[in-house]
Amino acid sequence: MRKSINFENLRKEIALKNGIIMENLLKYDSLIKGMRKELRKSKRKEFFFYDTLLGKLQDVFNENLKLVKNGSLESIDLISILEREVIDKSLLQKETEILKGIVLSRESITDWKGYTVELLRQMIDVYPFDLFFLAINETSSKKVYLFYSFLFDNQIRSKIKEYFKNELFIGEKIDFEEIFLSQKKTSKKTDKLHIQTSHFLPDSEDVGGTIGIVVLSQNRLSKKELDIIQSILSIMNLVAGSSRALSKALSELEYFAGHDPLTNLYNRRIFEDLLKYEVGRAKRKGYRFSLILIDLDNFKYINDTYGHNVGDAVLQSVADQLETSVRDGDLVARIGGDEFVILLSETSLPDAVKVAERIRTNLEKNKICVFDGSVLSVSASLGVVEYPTHGSSKEELMMIVDNALYRAKDLGKNKVYVPTIEEIKQTIKEKRKEFYILQEALDQNLFMPYFQPIYDLKKGKVYAYEVLARLRDTSGEVISAYRFITLAEKLGKIKDIDRLIIKKALTKKSFSKNRFKIFLNLSVNYFSDEQFWNQIFGIIKKLHIRPEEIVFEITEREAIKGIGEFQSLLSKLKTRGYKFAIDDFGSGYSSFYYLKHLPIDYVKIDGEFIKELSSKDHKSTAFVESIVLLCKRLKIKTVAEFIENKEILNTVKTIGIDYGQGYFLGHPSEDFL
């Protein structure tokens, strides 16, 4: 086993041996000088010969003395160079090992402080710094995390914090949080603080910040020390900075997966889950509850006249009014552009009607001031239903209350309406009619694909098309998917419809000379159906479609059972060249779980978030920016849905979204552009 070199001992040993040699040379030099002196006194004839000989010998000794002296200095310098190279190699090996162990998992991102502490304890072996800090901008202050290497006394800690206030972040309100890598106390004191800093994500003000290392030392730091500190900061920039930024993004994404970013009310996904739970609970306990569906009257006029910023202010004001009009514990949600719903637990129909009238009156009285000095008021139409009087399931209740809402609008708006038994029967009759239309369409092969363009936002060119299902009834009317898709799923016919749509879409693509990708929507339930996939692969092979031109969209709202098997299947399909996208990203609970476990190529950001974007809506913008940041880190492309106007288009471009689709860019059509 090779021993490590002790450079200090080697330096001392060389200096000692060279010193002995120089001492002996000096002794001989002194002896020669003495001999020459005695010769001069003797005045003998041969004096000149011996004096000349001794003089030359003395010159040789002096030259050797000089050589030994210079050689000694060069040897010590050589040892220092060798030591530096060996130490640099050792440090490089340590840093390499640390880098190999870095994994930015969901756990390390969520507990980013704990992960940072773990990493810094390893970094102290690379260089013994005294403090690592991370500073980020928050809503009303700058948050500064101080990671002390030891348990410094209060005087030193106060001095460090004063330096941050007076020198580093002048004039800013600072909130400090102190964390200790070790509980070992230190008596280290100095008047000098050496600070080296680095910025992470400087272009993202909401998630970016500053990291730095502080060394307490009376002496000036050498270039070598500064280089080592910079290398540590580079690693910590990658880990501490990025994980903290991703942690913030993750928290926001998880919150907005269940909340509307504009109003902070629950979104449709959460509402539908809670309504389903309430139905089951009411059945078990035997109580009644009520629903109020609210739609603003003439809201489109406000948006078109005053702009989306004023429209957003109106929606926020309405949300506030709704929350103050109900009890604590009642559920208020925004489920559409200007559509809200309230679930009143253990509330009878007469009491629910009173609440609805109170809401209608409060909204009518509510005055909203806008930028030009105008004062706006907004009215609403409201439908009210009761469980189990108007329906015994989530679907029935929503179907009946939706019809009640539009009945209120038909009666002149700004009204509360409760459906009669006859109207309930009529609604059910209409739904049965839709059932017969669907069955007839299946029998007569009336389903057809429509294609909506997806643009490359940097190049301004069509990158792909999303395939959308349409039904052309016997009268020639084209019916959108939302009117028949739920019913088709209930009848167990959705797979047949999708297979037909895919076949027709790929057939049409095979005749096109242009190269573009096709996005196909698939239910996760299909992925375990071997027969379905054999049929799809047969169609693709027959039409000579390249697998890399096909992107399968997985709806994020759907739950995946057996994630291991699903992951394995997707990996096999990826090896064939197929691509995968998550649709409606951010609308459900599983967004980040899917990103972590599935080989995703594209994330399609839920349109509910995109259509709220504006240059002045910082909350919605920050939320979408968080998704984009996360995807860029994971090397996943992003697609913005619902680009409805130029302002939204410019905003998504500024944020850095890769692709976009929406009515402003192109409507769904039977043909490619």
Side-chain angles (χ1 to χ4, degrees), residues 141-154:
S141 65
K142 184 177 285 293
K143 181 78 174 182
V144 179
Y145 298 89
L146 302 174
F147 295 83
Y148 294 99
S149 300
F150 300 100
L151 194 60
F152 288 95
D153 61 35
N154 291 332

Side-chain angles (χ1 to χ4, degrees), residues 20 106 237 255 415 430 444 459 467 503 553 561 666:
I20 292 171
R106 181 186 175 88
N237 199 328
Y255 175 80
K415 296 188 183 304
E430 289 174 358
Q444 297 185 26
K459 297 179 180 179
V467 176
K503 183 177 181 180
E553 288 192 30
K561 297 177 182 178

Side-chain angles (χ1 to χ4, degrees), residues 19 22 37 225 229 257 318 320 336 354 392 432 506 570 598:
M22 290 173 67
K37 189 176 181 181
E225 287 178 300
I229 291 172
V318 168
D320 292 339
K354 291 178 183 177
S392 58
R432 284 175 179 169
L506 294 181
L570 258 62
L598 302 179

